[in-house]
Structure formats: structure tokens, C-alpha cells
Amino acid sequence: MNTRSRSGREPIATDNTEVSRPTAGAVDGGIRPASVSRFGDLYDNAISALLDIPITDRWVETRAGRTHVLTAGDVTAPPVVVFQGGNVTNPVTLAWVQELSSEYYLIAPDTPGQPGWSDPHEPDEYGPWVVDVLDGLGIDRAAMVGVSHGGGILLEAAVHAPDRITAAVLVAPAGFGTPLSWALARIVVLSLAYRVLPRRGLLTRALAPMFSDPIETVDNVVIETVGQALRTGDLQASFPGPDDPADLAVFNTPTLVILSERDPFFPVSRIRPRVEQTLPALVECITLAGERHFLSTTGQERVTDHIRGFLDDQFAPDAE
């Protein structure tokens, strides 16, 4: 896709004595840890290929280990935290909503245990980690957007610290269950086959039902990232989310949910009733016609427009 200049970056502050030399891969030429992420090159390639906006990266200390964070937009604008999807790097998900940086300060932390530069171990609970990220950045409250796996993280934060969230957006979210279907079973079988026999043909057959755009048109860095995750990661049998959906009764924050009509992971017919039953401050639940789990380019634009309208309403002067 496009290649961007990397101007306007600020150095990464670090107190880690075990650091590598400054690398071209660090977004602003800063310092990254001596331990090398197996997704490092793919991470940087996704930044170059998918992001049209100036970004900065930094680190915060959390109880789940050091967390790497991408930021974009005016630091004085209302903050919006974006939680990445599973088995892809942070910039892949950030690209879906990057245009929001013209009005909001986007904060996208690499999820521990997911592809990226944060600690490779998944925490027992994500809610405390979210609080640590906010505290580490000096942010009291923020709007939050959770995509897929990131939706489950947002919901855990909604139970753990609902007062830290000013508005919530869930896009094709985990956290409401993963009903078994023939489409999902096919993806799982082909993914396991690819793990044993890592051939490109098997990978594209496994991924095609997940993508709204034809698989041959999807940027290669996205395909390679998911393939790397399938080959080398722990295949998760569950997603993040509250242990008991009833715990979300405390979450009285305005919430927008966006589902995809043909999502093999979180089918609308099963997920929408759960969304409507468990979110007490649900403003709207939108279904994107024809979309699958990975949104098309048009679907990403529609989601950005829906989120922008929702957040503009929440941050309007008379919203209080």
C-alpha cells in the first residue's frame, strides 16, 4: 500500500538497562529492548504499509510487564485508547480507525501476549493492566475502542474500572462468547493444518472466510502476520471478557457496538442478543451488511464514521 515519512517523532524514554542500539525499526528511532520480538519486522512493515498518519511510540511500566504504546494525534485532544485484535500487530488494528487522529489523541498499546513489543505473556486479568497503562500515561479517563480480542479487553476493564472509561466502542468484539459453527470449524481445521504444514495455499484457504475483501487483495503484511501467529503462537481456545456477563451491570457508560453480518467468530444472530441483554448503557448496536471479521476497506471507513459520530456526541459541550 502506501509508504509514509516518519517525521515528527519524539524519543522513547526508557529506564531499562538491557537495551539494544537505536533501530530503524523503532518508530522514531528510539530504544527497544534487547529481547527481539519475532514480529518486529512485520510490525514495522505494517506501520509503513498501513498507516497514513504520524505516530510516536513510548513505553509504560505495568504489572503485566513493560508495555509498548503507539500514539497519534494532538496530545491535548480527548484521549481514545484502541485495543488491538488478536493474532495481528497493533498497527494493523490502528489502521482501521487512524483517521480519528484528526480529532482525538489515539493511544494504542501492544497487548501483552499478542504480536508486538510488549511482554509476551498474557496476564491473568486485563482490567488491572488497562488501569496501569492509563496511569503510566497520566490519563485519568478515556474513551476506548476494542476490536475483536481487544473488545474482550475493554469489557474486562469495564468491570474492573468502569469509572476510567468515558465512552466505549466494541467492533466485532470478543467477550460475548464464541458460538461453534461449521464456518468456524473449517477455519480451525485449516489453521491447525497450516501449523503442521506451513504452506501459503493452506494459509490463504484458512484466512479467506475471515476477510471481507478478496484474500488476494489483502495487504501481504497482514497475511504474513497472521501466518506467523498461527505458526509460532499458542492457539487460544478462549477470548478475554468478563467471567460473568452479569458483572457488566455496573457499566453505565455510553456504548456503541458494531457487528459484522458474516462474521464466522461472532455471528450477529448469536452475539447481538447478548449485547442487548448485558450492556445497560448501549446507545446503538449496528450490523455491517456483507462484512466478515476482518473489515473491508469500505467497512473500515464506515466504522470510523460511526465511531466519530458517536464520540462527537459524547464529547459535545452539552453531552453532560
Side-chain angles (χ1 to χ4, degrees):
M1 295 175 68
N2 299 323
T3 302
R4 285 89 188 142
S5 63
R6 299 191 176 197
S7 59
R9 314 295 198 247
E10 61 188 39
I12 303 171
T14 177
D15 54 7
N16 189 342
T17 56
E18 285 190 77
V19 296
S20 62
R21 61 180 174 80
T23 65
V27 173
D28 41 32
I31 303 296
R32 283 184 175 169
S35 58
V36 177
S37 168
R38 62 178 179 268
F39 292 94
D41 289 341
L42 290 167
Y43 195 107
D44 297 328
N45 291 343
I47 290 173
S48 296
L50 304 178
L51 294 180
D52 295 310
I53 56 175
I55 53 173
T56 298
D57 56 356
R58 58 188 300 180
W59 298 88
V60 294
E61 297 292 341
T62 76
R63 69 196 76 192
R66 297 185 79 228
T67 292
H68 179 250
V69 184
L70 296 179
T71 64
D74 184 351
V75 69
T76 65
V80 176
V81 182
V82 181
F83 297 112
Q84 74 188 80
N87 290 331
V88 294
T89 55
N90 190 1
V92 172
T93 302
L94 182 59
W96 288 21
V97 297
Q98 60 182 308
E99 296 304 323
L100 294 174
S101 65
S102 62
E103 301 163 66
Y104 297 96
Y105 180 51
L106 298 184
I107 300 161
D110 292 4
T111 304
Q114 289 298 316
W117 286 98
S118 292
D119 193 284
H121 304 100
E122 181 179 356
D124 292 334
E125 295 180 87
Y126 282 106
W129 169 73
V130 172
V131 170
D132 288 347
V133 170
L134 293 177
D135 289 347
L137 296 173
I139 294 173
D140 181 39
R141 303 175 74 221
M144 296 184 182
V145 177
V147 178
S148 185
H149 184 278
I153 292 174
L154 196 163
L155 291 174
E156 288 194 22
V159 172
H160 179 76
D163 58 316
R164 304 296 295 269
I165 307 173
T166 57
V169 180
L170 300 164
V171 181
F176 297 101
T178 312
L180 184 62
S181 66
W182 284 112
L184 180 56
R186 179 179 181 275
I187 291 170
V188 171
V189 170
L190 289 172
S191 298
L192 290 172
Y194 173 74
R195 190 178 176 94
V196 175
L197 190 65
R199 294 182 177 175
R200 178 77 177 200
L202 271 177
L203 178 60
T204 55
R205 286 173 61 196
L207 300 189
M210 306 181 198
F211 284 84
S212 303
D213 284 331
I215 195 68
E216 61 271 13
T217 69
V218 176
D219 196 288
N220 193 55
V221 70
V222 180
I223 303 298
E224 290 184 355
T225 299
V226 179
Q228 177 85 323
L230 291 178
R231 288 195 308 272
T232 62
D234 295 329
L235 296 182
Q236 294 179 309
S238 61
F239 291 92
D243 293 332
D244 184 352
D247 292 340
L248 287 167
V250 303
F251 189 55
N252 290 309
T253 297
T255 304
L256 170 67
V257 177
I258 303 174
L259 306 176
S260 295
E261 180 186 30
R262 303 176 63 193
D263 191 332
F265 293 103
F266 312 120
V268 171
S269 61
R270 300 288 293 276
I271 300 303
R272 187 179 188 115
R274 299 178 186 181
V275 166
E276 294 173 342
Q277 292 164 10
T278 57
L279 293 175
L282 179 66
V283 173
E284 189 174 10
C285 184
I286 296 169
T287 297
L288 299 178
E291 293 289 333
R292 301 190 184 196
H293 192 66
F294 281 82
L295 300 180
S296 66
T297 302
T298 301
Q300 294 172 29
E301 293 171 354
R302 292 172 61 194
V303 162
T304 298
D305 288 342
H306 284 304
I307 296 174
R308 179 181 288 113
F310 171 72
L311 292 180
D312 288 351
D313 287 344
Q314 303 311 312
F315 288 108
D318 58 353
E320 298 294 332

